[in-house]
């Protein structure tokens, strides 16, 4: 049986700029109705990001078989080559010639306040991709992407009887309660952080028990407090891994989801799957950016055993 995991989601650049002052000293509270300011940003860095590639990057390092489905723009050639050099499967990535690759512009001040602007660009064309065209799949994940694309890919997976994980993330506000219920009923798994899950319950009017009963597994992450997996009428409490350095939480959720997909494609039970995901999240948080960390499958197995007292696999 194939172990290919289809990773549907955004492919993006993050451009992160550092302002050495404080926004509060420049933005006047009584003049916010007519803002016209400029911030000198002496430092800027480019990070390769997007949920789909972050997830696939981690799953590939773990020894999984990710297939990325997404859209890039006319400026995405270097990113595409970077993915290929990392051994990532890119045949389901579509280039949109008259658009730019999705990108987030982040300006942070010395107090770590942020002013962000996000340009979706080519991501808005994600619905032009078709799940049915990519071949046999073990599982898929519908992660944050263009709204129409997320709806279409979920429907495609359901029509083709492909189990998938719905991960609404930052796109959650774009969906009504009725649409969220449709996603849940189509999906096999739902993965949210604790805040997102509160929004899901509020919009749908469903309780935790209601939602868990409609899925093979409901996964709720809680940052440093670990995560909860509800599956088969059981509740599995997954502890967080203690870390020495917290460099950047960006991409930790994506790393965690890669661990979930690895466990699913290899047939591990949910306590083991959740713990693998927890190890990946802990490794990622020690590195700046979503794809600058590295590990081997054996290193993951060793860290897993050190933390939990047994080996998986």
């Amino acid at each position: 049986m194939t172990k290919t995991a289809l990773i549907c989601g955004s492919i993006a650049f993050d451009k992160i700029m550092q302002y050495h002052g404080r926004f509060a000293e420049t933005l006047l509270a009584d003049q916010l109705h007519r803002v016209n300011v400029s911030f000198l940003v002496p430092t800027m860095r480019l990070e390769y990001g997007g949920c789909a590639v972050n997830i696939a990057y981690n799953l590939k390092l773990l020894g999984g078989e990710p297939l990325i489905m997404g859209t890039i723009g006319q400026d995405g050639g270097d990113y595409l080559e970077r993915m290929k050099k990392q051994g990532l499967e890119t045949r389901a990535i579509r280039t949109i010639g008259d658009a730019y690759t999705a990108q987030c512009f982040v300006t942070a001040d010395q107090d770590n306040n942020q002013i962000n602007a996000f340009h979706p660009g080519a991501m808005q064309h994600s619905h032009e991709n078709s799940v049915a065209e990519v071949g046999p799949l073990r599982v898929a994940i519908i992660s944050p992407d263009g709204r129409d694309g997320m709806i279409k890919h979920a429907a495609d997976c359901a029509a083709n009887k492909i189990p998938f994980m719905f991960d609404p993330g930052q796109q959650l506000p774009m969906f009504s309660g009725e649409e969220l219920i449709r996603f849940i009923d189509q999906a096999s798994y739902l993965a949210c952080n604790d805040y997102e899950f509160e929004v899901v319950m509020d919009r749908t009017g469903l309780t935790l028990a209601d939602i868990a009963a409609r899925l093979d597994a409901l996964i709720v992450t809680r940052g440093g407090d670990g995560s909860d997996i509800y599956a088969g009428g059981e509740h599995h409490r997954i502890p967080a891994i203690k870390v020495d350095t917290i460099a950047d939480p960006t991409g930790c959720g994506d790393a965690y989801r890669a661990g979930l997909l690895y466990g699913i494609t290899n047939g591990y039970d949910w306590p083991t799957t959740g713990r693998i995901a927890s190890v990946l999240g802990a490794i990622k948080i020690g590195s700046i950016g979503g794809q600058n960390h590295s590990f081997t499958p054996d290193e993951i197995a060793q860290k897993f055993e050190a933390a939990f007292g047994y080996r998986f696999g």
Side-chain angles (χ1 to χ4, degrees):
M1 175 184 286
T2 181
K3 291 187 178 181
T4 300
L6 182 68
I7 318 296
C8 302
S10 60
I11 303 171
F13 297 122
D14 296 326
K15 295 179 179 177
I16 303 166
M17 296 158 280
Q18 187 66 49
Y19 171 53
H20 289 179
R22 290 183 169 90
F23 294 144
E25 296 172 354
T26 304
L27 299 171
L28 303 177
D30 61 345
Q31 298 295 316
L32 293 181
H33 62 289
R34 52 174 187 176
V35 174
N36 185 4
V37 297
S38 177
F39 300 104
L40 177 65
V41 288
T43 60
M44 182 178 78
R45 75 175 193 272
L46 170 67
E47 294 288 354
Y48 294 93
C51 295
V53 192
N54 289 348
I55 295 169
Y57 176 82
N58 284 278
L59 184 55
K60 184 67 177 181
L61 288 177
L62 194 51
E65 299 176 17
L67 170 60
I68 301 169
M69 174 173 281
T71 46
I72 60 171
Q74 57 187 298
D75 56 341
D78 288 346
Y79 199 175
L80 198 59
E81 286 303 311
R82 183 177 189 268
M83 287 184 253
K84 291 176 180 178
K85 288 179 181 178
Q86 292 169 335
L88 295 173
E89 180 60 71
T90 62
R91 60 186 169 85
I93 295 176
R94 182 185 297 269
T95 298
I96 308 300
D98 59 352
Y100 290 104
T101 301
Q103 37 206 299
C104 186
F105 301 87
V106 181
T107 303
D109 73 0
Q110 67 182 49
D111 294 326
N112 287 322
N113 297 306
Q114 293 185 354
I115 297 175
N116 298 342
F118 182 74
H119 174 65
M123 194 177 83
Q124 296 178 105
H125 295 263
S126 60
H127 59 279
E128 296 177 19
N129 286 324
S130 175
V131 172
E133 296 176 357
V134 300
L137 301 168
R138 170 62 182 84
V139 69
I141 182 170
I142 311 299
S143 64
D145 202 353
R147 182 184 187 280
D148 292 345
M150 294 177 74
I151 292 171
K152 181 179 186 295
H153 298 152
D156 286 352
C157 285
N160 288 277
K161 301 188 184 308
I162 299 165
F164 74 89
M165 182 177 296
F166 178 48
D167 170 25
Q170 62 264 38
Q171 294 294 69
L172 179 57
M174 300 187 68
F175 300 110
S176 68
E178 181 180 342
E179 288 169 329
L180 290 172
I181 290 173
R182 187 179 304 116
F183 276 120
I184 291 167
D185 287 342
Q186 291 172 328
S188 297
Y189 322 99
L190 172 66
C192 296
N193 64 33
D194 46 3
Y195 175 78
E196 292 163 354
F197 188 62
E198 291 294 328
V199 174
V200 170
M201 289 192 292
D202 180 67
R203 290 205 173 180
T204 62
L206 300 175
T207 66
L208 186 153
D210 293 333
I211 294 171
R214 297 179 182 219
L215 299 160
D216 291 344
L218 164 64
I219 303 100
V220 181
T221 61
R222 304 185 185 280
D225 292 327
S227 54
D228 294 289
I229 299 178
Y230 304 87
E234 298 184 15
H235 172 204
H236 305 286
R237 184 81 187 107
I238 309 299
I241 305 293
K242 292 184 178 180
V243 296
D244 296 326
T245 303
I246 299 178
D248 179 10
T250 303
C252 287
D254 296 329
Y256 183 97
R257 283 148 180 75
L260 295 176
L261 293 172
Y262 184 79
I264 291 168
T265 56
N266 284 279
Y268 295 132
D269 61 29
W270 284 109
T272 299
T273 295
R275 284 167 169 78
I276 294 171
S278 188
V279 171
L280 262 66
I283 289 176
K284 159 65 246 341
I285 205 168
S287 177
I288 294 175
Q291 301 170 31
N292 295 322
H293 57 292
S294 64
F295 55 80
T296 66
D298 190 57
E299 287 172 340
I300 295 297
Q302 291 174 14
K303 289 181 180 295
F304 184 101
E305 184 175 20
F308 304 115
Y310 72 99
R311 290 182 73 91
F312 66 88

